[in-house]
Amino acid sequence: MPETAQPASALPRFEAAVVGAGAAGLAAALALARAGIPTALVGRHAPVADGRTVALLDGSVRFLDALGAWGDLADKAAPLAVLQIVDDTGSLFRPPPVRFHAGEIGLSAFGWNVENAALVEALRARARATPNLTLVERDAAGFTAGEAAARIETEAGGPIEARLAVAADGARSQLRAQSGTPTRSWSYPQAALTTILAHERPHGDVSTEFHTREGPFTLVPLPGGRRSSLVWVADRARAERLSALSDADLAAAVETRARHMLGAMRIDGPRGLVPMRGLSVATPVAHRLALVGEAAHVFPPIGAQGLNLGLRDAAALRDAVVAAARDGRDPGSRAALAGFARARRRDATLRTLAVDGLNRALLSHHLPVDALRGLGLVALSALGPLRRAVMREGVLPRLNAPELMR
């Protein structure tokens, strides 16, 4: 059972304390605890219901399976066997649609699409049943890094201490701010409307991304064959107008934008409106602190990279802490986290540049940019080795892949 509201004197010092009870924080805490690291997870378990789903790529599915959570999710997820890109920008250099098949790289699916709420609940269920993991279901109220341990204050309860603190507390991370970690942030003139759709025709396990002048419009399969999740990136004012439509009017607008490819549609879930912004950090580590998930990087919901990158953070941190424990080193020291910092900074930088570059290329009306984007899609369609290399890198980077994702 969860351990909550204990006085400070009853709380032992942990090896690691993860702050933030979203998917990335839950995964990090589970990975550490299941590796035998005494761990605390600090954060309230708030409900999730914003119409968002996540396409869990193959490496992430392997990680969740290693954490014991995938068995509770498999029947709630739909395979992404084919990825289709349709240029709908009206450009003079518009290429034909491009289709990527998972079978080309030896996979039955690139990944699996699942509702955020189901993912978080499956991870919570694992967390409640995992030895070495203490749940402190209160918000963090302060963080200080001492010589031998980090101290985390909690609301309406006593502090806890850990040799390593893990900030998984989101884009506005309190721990990151209190550590003084330098950040760079930016925004886009767009917002993403998210919801769940029911439709007349089967999706056939094909995820379709329309590239428009306002950003990507993406339909991603859900279980049952006739349900999909929607991520509609549009000009901010337009996204707000779409979000205010009735269910019937919004379904009609989606059906038109999708070129009627899935037939008649209806809204079949809650809606979300996500601001399009980005954030990066100079380094994902500080004194006795490691950053994971959106505490370390934020970028638009494009290309299924956000949470998958956060899960790689969690898996890589587990490897670093296990290696430190095996060698008798302090897991909160800079030396123990140096390899983690280098690998995560490289991975996050490459993914951020790719997503940012694609989004800005769609917004651009310059003919040379259109030509380069069109030529790139044509090359991916025509050149098998290039296409397969890009697909493999998108699913899981080959360099420094975490142990539980291989």
Side-chain angles (χ1 to χ4, degrees):
M1 294 295 291
E3 297 180 29
T4 59
Q6 298 186 53
S9 59
L11 285 170
R13 177 184 292 185
F14 299 93
E15 283 295 288
V18 180
V19 176
L26 283 159
L30 276 167
L32 292 169
R34 288 173 68 91
I37 308 297
T39 303
L41 176 63
V42 180
R44 286 184 300 143
H45 290 196
V48 178
D50 61 359
R52 297 182 70 178
T53 65
V54 58
L56 296 164
L57 299 177
D58 183 67
S60 296
V61 171
R62 292 171 188 270
F63 182 39
L64 292 172
D65 194 34
L67 298 183
W70 184 244
D72 298 330
L73 284 171
D75 62 350
K76 301 173 184 176
L80 310 180
V82 179
L83 305 181
Q84 178 174 243
I85 297 177
V86 179
D87 190 301
D88 205 11
T89 61
S91 166
L92 291 174
F93 301 98
R94 184 168 59 187
V98 179
R99 289 168 72 93
F100 302 91
H101 296 263
E104 279 195 77
I105 56 173
L107 298 175
S108 62
F110 292 107
W112 300 74
N113 194 38
V114 64
E115 294 184 42
N116 272 14
L119 170 62
V120 171
E121 186 48 49
L123 289 169
R124 285 176 184 167
R126 288 295 97 202
R128 294 185 183 108
T130 298
N132 289 319
L133 182 55
T134 298
L135 305 187
V136 183
E137 297 188 38
R138 305 187 294 271
D139 285 335
F143 163 79
T144 53
E147 182 66 27
R151 181 183 176 94
I152 299 165
E153 307 290 339
T154 65
E155 291 185 352
I160 67 169
E161 290 187 331
R163 293 213 287 172
L164 171 65
V166 181
D169 51 344
R172 296 178 176 84
S173 171
Q174 181 183 145
L175 269 67
R176 184 189 65 221
Q178 293 179 346
S179 73
T181 300
T183 63
R184 182 175 71 90
S185 60
W186 61 96
S187 62
Y188 302 90
Q190 303 155 286
L193 173 66
T194 64
T195 192
I196 293 170
L197 307 163
H199 40 78
E200 181 181 17
R201 298 175 191 150
H203 51 58
D205 298 336
V206 178
S207 178
T208 301
E209 184 173 286
F210 291 87
H211 287 177
T212 82
R213 281 299 183 200
E214 294 183 21
F217 169 95
T218 309
L219 297 167
V220 191
L222 281 171
R226 286 181 165 82
R227 294 176 78 240
S228 295
S229 60
L230 169 72
V231 180
W232 188 345
V233 177
D235 172 87
R236 192 177 296 121
R238 175 174 165 80
E240 290 172 355
R241 290 195 300 272
L242 288 167
S243 182
L245 292 175
S246 68
D247 280 358
D249 288 344
L250 178 58
V254 172
E255 185 180 337
T256 299
R257 169 52 81 186
R259 299 183 179 181
H260 309 282
M261 63 179 292
L262 294 176
M265 293 187 171
R266 65 178 172 83
I267 305 303
D268 196 37
R271 305 183 195 184
L273 191 61
V274 184
M276 296 278 283
R277 60 179 186 268
L279 178 143
S280 63
V281 296
T283 174
V285 301
H287 183 51
R288 300 213 167 275
L289 179 68
L291 310 179
V292 302
E294 290 198 337
H297 40 73
V298 177
F299 41 78
I302 296 173
Q305 293 300 316
L307 181 58
N308 287 286
L309 185 59
L311 294 177
R312 284 204 296 280
D313 295 339
L317 182 63
R318 174 259 183 204
D319 290 354
V321 174
V322 167
R326 184 175 59 243
D327 298 340
R329 292 182 291 159
D330 182 344
S333 68
R334 290 273 193 172
L337 296 173
F340 166 83
R342 284 192 302 273
R344 303 318 307 141
R345 186 166 56 244
R346 183 189 308 115
D347 193 6
T349 298
L350 290 174
R351 305 290 153 167
T352 300
L353 288 173
V355 171
D356 181 73
L358 171 60
N359 192 45
R360 293 186 189 277
L362 291 176
L363 295 177
S364 173
H365 288 266
H366 296 297
L367 288 179
V369 175
D370 275 351
L372 286 171
R373 182 171 50 80
L375 285 171
L377 288 174
V378 169
L380 287 173
S381 180
L383 302 175
L386 174 63
R387 182 174 62 254
R388 288 187 287 274
V390 169
M391 287 191 288
R392 290 190 187 99
E393 183 65 19
V395 170
L396 180 66
R398 292 300 181 97
L399 187 64
N400 294 322
E403 180 181 344
L404 298 184
M405 289 188 162
R406 295 172 195 157

